[in-house]
Amino acid sequence: MGPTDLEGFQEARDLLASADTVSVLSGAGVSAESGVPTFRGEDGLWKSYQPEQLATPHAFRRDSRLVWEWYDWRRGKIRECRPNPGHEALARFALGARDVRIVTQNVDGLHEEAARTVAGGSDADPAMPLELHGSIFRVKCTSCTYRVPHRDPIPTESFDDLPKCPVCGSLLRPDVVWFGESLDAGVLSEAFRVAQSAQVCLVVGTSALVHPAASVPLATRDGGGEIVEVNPTETPLTPLASVSLRGASGEVLPSLLDGLE
Ligand code: NAD
Ligand code: ZN
C-alpha cells in the first residue's frame, strides 16, 4: 500500500489543489525520518537528563556550562542530518505558484536547508520558514541584541571557554525558545496573520500539544479555512481537521504535493 491509498488522500489533494494560499505548520515529526532526535523517547535522553531540566532559563543561570554541553551534543547530532523527501516536497511546494508559508516549531534548520537545495542557491525566500522556536544554529547575547548564525562546535570544557558576546562581553546562548519563555512577538503575529488568511493549513508531524504553536491551525479555521493533517498518530487537532492522513511525512508529502507546485 502506497501513500496514494491512504484514506482521505484524494480529498486532501483536492483541498490543496483548489487553495491559493496555504500555511504549513510543522513539528519534530517532519524531521524524524532525517534522524533528528525527538524530545520524547529514548534518543532524546542525554546523560539521563530530561530536556525539561536543561532547556530552561533557570538551568542556564544555574549551570550554563552543562546546558551548553547538552546543546553542543544536540547540534552535533543535528549537523549530521539532511533534509528528507518531506522537507524537499514542502520547499518545492512553497516555491511554486501558490502563496505558501512554512511555519515550523523545529529548531534544526532542515526546512531552510531544503529551500536552499531546491532553489539551487537562487532567491529561496518563499520556502524560508518562520521559525517559532528559533534555531539551534544561531546564538544570541544574554544581555544585548547581538545575534548571529553559528554552526561550528562550541567549546564547553569550562565556564571560561563558553562563547561571549563580541559587543558587550556577556555570555552567548542558543537562539532557541526555552520552556517558560515567550515566543518572539513579531514571528508569532506573522504566523497567525498567515494562518488566518490561508484557505488550507497543512499540519505535519506535530503532536499539537505545545501552545501557542498548536493554535496556529485554529486561526485558519477561524478565518474560514480548512485543516489537513499528516501524522502517523491521532492528535488533539484531528477532530478539527477536514482530513487526517495517517502516514509518515517523508512518504506522504512527495505524493500529496506532486504536481501542485
Ligand atoms: P512534537 O510534539 O511536535 O511531536 C512529534 C509528532 O510527530 C508526533 O505527533 C508524532 O506522531 C509525529 N510523527 C512522528 N514521526 C512522524 C513522521 N515520520 N511523519 C510525520 N509525523 C511524525 O515533537 P516533540 O519531539 O515532542 O517536540 C516538542 C518541541 O520540542 C517542538 O515543538 C520543538 O520546539 C522542540 N524540538 C524540536 C526538534 C527539531 O528541531 N527537529 C526536535 C525535538 C524537539
Ligand atoms: Zn552582548
Side-chain angles (χ1 to χ4, degrees):
M1 195 174 111
T4 54
D5 301 315
L6 287 174
E7 190 183 340
F9 182 86
Q10 196 52 47
E11 188 186 349
R13 245 189 97 80
D14 292 346
L15 278 170
L16 289 162
S18 60
D20 298 320
T21 55
V22 177
S23 76
V24 177
L25 176 68
S26 78
V30 83
S31 296
E33 289 152 276
S34 293
V36 175
T38 57
F39 271 11
R40 305 177 225 285
E42 279 299 303
D43 57 352
L45 287 179
W46 176 79
K47 297 186 179 181
S48 80
Y49 288 96
Q50 302 285 342
E52 291 81 356
Q53 294 172 281
L54 296 164
T56 74
H58 177 71
F60 194 71
R61 274 195 305 272
R62 194 182 47 205
D63 194 344
S64 18
R65 201 208 58 76
L66 179 77
V67 172
W68 257 126
E69 189 186 354
W70 178 58
Y71 273 99
D72 187 50
W73 172 79
R74 286 193 68 208
R75 285 160 55 108
K77 291 257 181 214
I78 296 174
R79 228 184 275 118
E80 293 166 11
C81 300
R82 296 281 76 84
N84 67 55
H87 295 106
E88 286 159 8
L90 286 172
R92 282 193 299 273
F93 184 54
L95 287 165
R98 285 174 184 73
D99 186 0
V100 178
R101 198 73 208 267
I102 300 169
V103 178
T104 188
Q105 300 166 81
N106 297 343
V107 298
D108 56 33
L110 293 179
H111 283 301
E112 191 177 324
E113 196 178 324
R116 291 190 203 289
T117 310
V118 168
S122 65
D123 182 17
D125 271 354
M128 284 298 182
L130 270 173
E131 296 172 323
L132 289 177
H133 295 164
S135 169
I136 202 161
F137 293 123
R138 263 195 328 261
V139 293
K140 67 175 181 183
C141 181
T142 49
S143 301
C144 75
T145 56
Y146 182 77
R147 181 191 300 250
V148 282
H150 190 291
R151 272 189 88 85
D152 292 337
I154 300 279
T156 63
E157 287 284 294
S158 74
F159 181 84
D160 291 339
D161 292 330
L162 300 180
K164 310 291 182 325
C165 175
V167 179
C168 76
S170 300
L171 201 55
L172 295 178
R173 56 164 278 184
D175 189 10
V176 298
V177 179
W178 282 332
F179 292 103
E181 290 186 313
S182 309
L183 280 63
D184 181 279
V187 173
L188 192 60
S189 67
E190 174 68 358
F192 277 98
R193 190 193 62 74
V194 167
Q196 170 90 31
S197 62
Q199 287 156 321
V200 172
C201 184
L202 176 60
V203 186
V204 188
T206 175
S207 58
L209 294 170
V210 184
H211 289 270
S215 309
V216 167
L218 305 181
T220 301
R221 287 241 319 177
D222 292 347
E226 304 194 51
I227 297 173
V228 173
E229 179 178 60
V230 178
N231 196 314
T233 60
E234 194 172 325
T235 77
L237 280 179
T238 302
L240 304 173
S242 304
V243 199
S244 285
L245 300 177
R246 293 273 161 261
S249 51
E251 289 166 19
V252 173
L253 292 177
S255 307
L256 182 64
L257 303 176
D258 181 41
L260 300 184
E261 300 95 356

